[in-house]
Amino acid sequence: MADDTDLSFKPLTPKLMDDLGVVLKGSWGATCWCMFPRLTDKQMKELPGDGAVKDRRRAAMTKLARRRSHAPGLVAFDGNEPVGWAALGPRAEFIRVDKSKATPPVDETPVWIIPCITVRKTARGQGIAVALIKAATAYAFERGAGAVEAYPRADDKRTGADNIFFGTEPLFRRAGFEVGRGPIEGRPKNWIARVAMRAAP
């Protein structure tokens, strides 16, 4: 179990991009750089720059990290070691989530969402994910979020790396979230069953 006194959570800034890279290394996120939920396929293809796709996505995330209003997420540290990441922001910033039939709005509350969360393989099973979700939720409330939502998988079964970033229902329950809506009925077979979970101020 990670010692809570050694855990810290820092809003992503350009100076912390290498730390985020350490967290994402060796995972699906190393090429995504958490830009996938924010952009359409067309926007992803049109990202500026001449480098590799992953480099252009990193540059796009770096640009978001320069904003003064709010960071695009939090990086978790155990001492000086980067160990986790939670993407975060107003729902409207995550186009794929906002427009997806799998994750329609629960109601008209101006919510922030946590679409992705990851902990380094070497640091899992120590309570870091729960602590990170709580820190991200507090960060959103400090900036006026009406509620914080997540759309994790509706089960706790093992899954591929491209699906684990959603988190699971039990994980978010441990962080104080409650189910606001069950899985969408009549979903296509290739959809991951998700629940809408919410934390209120």
Side-chain angles (χ1 to χ4, degrees):
M1 184 74 175
D3 185 342
D4 288 349
T5 61
D6 291 333
L7 288 177
S8 61
F9 307 95
K10 300 179 182 180
L12 182 67
T13 65
K15 291 182 179 180
L16 296 181
M17 289 302 295
D18 286 344
D19 294 302
L20 176 56
V22 169
V23 174
L24 300 179
K25 186 177 180 180
S27 71
W28 189 67
T31 56
C32 173
W33 281 92
C34 227
M35 292 304 299
F36 182 82
R38 300 173 185 274
L39 303 174
T40 64
D41 286 340
K42 181 179 179 180
Q43 289 171 327
M44 291 283 271
K45 292 177 182 178
E46 294 176 349
L47 283 173
D50 299 321
V53 171
K54 65 179 181 180
D55 295 331
R56 288 187 282 125
R57 291 175 182 174
R58 174 178 169 141
M61 179 57 73
T62 303
K63 183 177 180 180
L64 289 177
R66 293 193 184 102
R67 291 186 308 199
R68 293 188 178 184
S69 58
H70 61 273
L74 302 184
V75 182
F77 290 84
D78 187 357
N80 294 319
E81 190 72 13
V83 293
W85 159 254
L88 177 71
R91 180 182 161 105
E93 291 185 3
F94 298 91
I95 296 174
R96 287 185 191 266
V97 176
D98 196 39
K99 302 300 183 183
S100 174
K101 294 180 180 179
T103 54
V106 173
D107 54 33
E108 296 182 358
T109 302
V111 301
W112 282 39
I113 66 172
I114 302 173
C116 303
I117 182 165
T118 187
V119 173
R120 288 174 65 183
K121 290 182 179 179
T122 55
R124 292 175 186 168
Q126 302 179 48
I128 293 171
V130 171
L132 181 52
I133 292 169
K134 289 180 177 179
T137 301
Y139 181 87
F141 288 151
E142 288 168 2
R143 283 152 185 80
V148 178
E149 287 185 353
Y151 312 102
R153 290 178 293 115
D155 57 53
D156 202 12
K157 297 178 181 177
R158 287 185 174 277
T159 185
D162 56 341
N163 292 326
I164 199 170
F165 292 97
F166 303 154
T168 63
E169 181 180 337
L171 172 65
F172 278 90
R173 281 191 184 279
R174 291 196 295 273
F177 283 59
E178 297 181 354
V179 174
R181 184 192 58 236
I184 300 299
E185 297 292 334
R187 62 185 178 83
K189 290 182 179 180
N190 63 333
W191 281 9
I192 301 299
R194 301 203 208 182
V195 292
M197 301 192 71
R198 176 178 286 186

